[in-house]
Each structure stands twice: as C-alpha cells, then as structure tokens.
Amino acid sequence: MRLGITMFATDLTMPPHELAREAEERGFASLYVPEHTHIPVARETPPPTGDLTLAPEYARTLDPFVALAAAAAVTERITLGTGIMLPAQREPIVTAKAVATLDRIAGGRVALGIGYGWNAEEGADHGVPWKRRRAVVREHVLAMRELWTRDEASFAGEFVRFEPSWSWPKPAGHVPVLLGGAPGPTLFAHIAEYGDGWMPIGGAGIREALPDLRRACADAGRDMVPVVPFGTLPSAEKLDYYASIGVEEVVLRVPGGGRDAVLPVLDGYARDHL
C-alpha cells in the first residue's frame, strides 16, 4: 500500500517544499496541500469540522500551485497534489495553464484532489451560484480537460464558454482528478463521468459505499476507480482494513506546525507503517 501525507500548509507551518523533500526521503508516495483563497469575516456557514469556531489556519492557506511548484523543484519521485482544490472558485482557462505548467515542471507528478466547497460566503465572493456549484465544478474540470488534451480546444457550456483556442503547455501526462466528498448518487455520478477516483475525507463508510460507486462506474461503461482515503490518522488495524477492501493508497494527516512538530510524526509513520 502506498502512503502519502497531507498537511494544512500555511505561512506559519513548515514550508511545503521542505516537507515534500523530507517525505520523499522517507519513502512516502505523495504530498497533498489544501486551498482556501480567503475566509470572509462575517460568515453564517458553520465550520466543516463541527467546531463552534473556525480554526485560524483556514484563513492562512498558501496558494497550492505556487507551493507545489516549489516542492517540484526539490523532489524527483513524490506525487504532488491538491487536497483539496476548489474548481468552482477558479477561472478554468487560467487554472488549466497553471496545472499544466506545474505538471511540466514536476515531470508528470501532479494529481488534483478537488471538492465542491463548504463555505457559502467564500464562494459568493467568487460569484459562485452556491446551489449550482456542483455543476460549475463539473464544467470547469471538463473545460480544463479540453485545454489539456486538444491542440484546438473549445467549450460551450452553461458556465464556461470559449471558442477554438490554442493553449500550451499541455501536461506532461494525464492529470488524475480525485473527487472529495461524502458518498451519494450525485458525487458518484460525477466521479464516474469525469473523475479518476474518490478521495473520502476520514475514510468512514467506505466499505458500505463501494457497491454504489462500482455500480455508477459500470453504468458509465468504465472500470471501478481507485479510492484514496484522505486525512487518515493511521493504525496498523486501520491500514489492514483499507487493504482488505482494495484500497491501494492512503493519505495520512500530519500536524500543521514547524519542523520540530512535523518531522517526529513523519518518522513515526515511516517507522510503523512503511
């Protein structure tokens, strides 16, 4: 089983490029970093963690593509991913070029963990029609795929429209898109249509959801996609359980802190689970 890591990277934590280098040296397979452009001060949306107040790191996240570009420059093998990126809040033509440029720099090592978003006020500042955000995410990803794969790309949708256009660079390889979110028919239909895997946060309820995801993939005429549990606090029993249901990669959570807080955790994970 491949083990990756994720950290809530901010301006106060260990720099992501240093973390990527340390993780690669210890044999971890991937590094994922999150995204929030900003957090409106006046907010009615409750924190996704169930806490009464939102943790301050949500307002301090780094730009994931700038951070991962720095990580790409000092690593050779580790997969570099977003966990998660919010496509509804990003202009897709510009984002497609950023992803393709990063993948070129990284030599084909980029993966996109994406989500629909939870913070309605943040989405509103980006002009996202909140109840339609899943449809916006779908079109943004499909439009980016057109730009990544076609010499003359065009798109005509409800939220994205551009005439036949040239846009290089193209990614060095296929950029996998892993959709995060709770299991359900809408998520699984989207994964089956345009995703390359499911990235459930925490990993609860995976076994029960697998038949529905497998059925959605079959209905779309494709094979079952990988499931990558995200933000897991590992134990030998938990990893054995994931292996028993066919999971081949798990992304482990490390604390958002400096080197003295992060490296002992990395060492412990490597010693106990790699």
Side-chain angles (χ1 to χ4, degrees), residues 96-205:
K97 184 175 285 284
V99 173
T101 301
L102 174 60
D103 197 56
R104 281 282 174 182
I105 292 171
R109 294 186 283 134
V110 172
L112 293 183
I114 69 168
Y116 300 124
W118 59 268
N119 189 336
E121 289 78 19
E122 180 183 356
D125 286 347
H126 288 281
V128 178
W130 196 243
K131 292 184 178 180
R132 302 293 316 284
R133 66 190 186 280
R134 291 170 176 80
V136 176
V137 167
R138 173 184 175 272
E139 282 199 10
H140 283 199
V141 173
L142 293 176
M144 290 193 294
R145 281 248 173 86
E146 290 293 303
L147 291 162
W148 292 335
T149 59
R150 297 186 183 275
D151 287 350
E152 290 190 6
S154 61
F155 197 85
E158 180 181 357
F159 305 101
V160 184
R161 181 176 296 270
F162 53 88
E163 297 301 316
S165 302
W166 297 317
S167 179
W168 277 272
K170 306 300 183 186
H174 175 74
V175 177
V177 175
L178 309 173
L179 276 71
T186 299
L187 176 68
F188 287 169
H190 281 205
I191 292 172
E193 179 190 6
Y194 65 85
D196 297 289
W198 178 30
M199 182 177 270
I201 296 176

Side-chain angles (χ1 to χ4, degrees), residues 1-272:
M1 177 181 289
R2 298 185 303 276
L3 296 181
I5 62 169
T6 183
M7 183 181 74
F8 217 115
T10 75
D11 58 324
L12 301 179
T13 65
M14 180 178 181
H17 61 283
E18 295 182 9
L19 178 60
R21 187 169 52 216
E22 298 284 356
E24 184 174 78
E25 289 177 355
R26 287 162 174 77
F28 290 96
S30 55
L31 167 67
Y32 289 84
V33 297
E35 170 176 55
H36 280 283
T37 55
H38 70 300
I39 298 295
V41 174
R43 184 175 46 78
E44 297 181 2
T45 308
T49 57
D51 298 320
L52 292 177
T53 59
L54 187 66
E57 58 260 31
Y58 281 85
R60 307 190 76 106
T61 56
L62 306 178
D63 179 277
F65 296 126
V66 175
L68 294 175
V74 297
T75 57
E76 297 179 351
R77 301 175 305 279
I78 193 169
T79 295
L80 302 169
T82 55
I84 60 171
M85 182 187 83
L86 300 169
Q89 298 179 186
R90 284 183 160 268
E91 200 285 324
I93 300 175
V94 173
T95 303
K97 184 175 285 284
V99 173
T101 301
L102 174 60
D103 197 56
R104 281 282 174 182
I105 292 171
R109 294 186 283 134
V110 172
L112 293 183
I114 69 168
Y116 300 124
W118 59 268
N119 189 336
E121 289 78 19
E122 180 183 356
D125 286 347
H126 288 281
V128 178
W130 196 243
K131 292 184 178 180
R132 302 293 316 284
R133 66 190 186 280
R134 291 170 176 80
V136 176
V137 167
R138 173 184 175 272
E139 282 199 10
H140 283 199
V141 173
L142 293 176
M144 290 193 294
R145 281 248 173 86
E146 290 293 303
L147 291 162
W148 292 335
T149 59
R150 297 186 183 275
D151 287 350
E152 290 190 6
S154 61
F155 197 85
E158 180 181 357
F159 305 101
V160 184
R161 181 176 296 270
F162 53 88
E163 297 301 316
S165 302
W166 297 317
S167 179
W168 277 272
K170 306 300 183 186
H174 175 74
V175 177
V177 175
L178 309 173
L179 276 71
T186 299
L187 176 68
F188 287 169
H190 281 205
I191 292 172
E193 179 190 6
Y194 65 85
D196 297 289
W198 178 30
M199 182 177 270
I201 296 176
I206 292 177
R207 185 192 296 274
E208 295 76 13
L210 286 178
D212 291 338
L213 178 57
R214 189 173 289 110
R215 188 177 306 111
C217 291
D219 290 345
R222 60 183 299 190
D223 294 335
M224 177 64 170
V225 298
V227 177
V228 183
F230 186 79
T232 296
L233 292 175
S235 67
E237 295 76 17
K238 188 181 295 185
L239 296 180
D240 287 344
Y241 160 72
Y242 287 143
S244 74
I245 60 174
V247 168
E248 296 181 352
E249 181 174 0
V250 179
V251 180
L252 310 181
R253 188 195 323 167
V254 299
R259 294 176 63 89
D260 56 347
V262 172
L263 294 185
V265 174
L266 280 188
D267 289 337
Y269 286 172
R271 180 188 64 246
D272 297 338

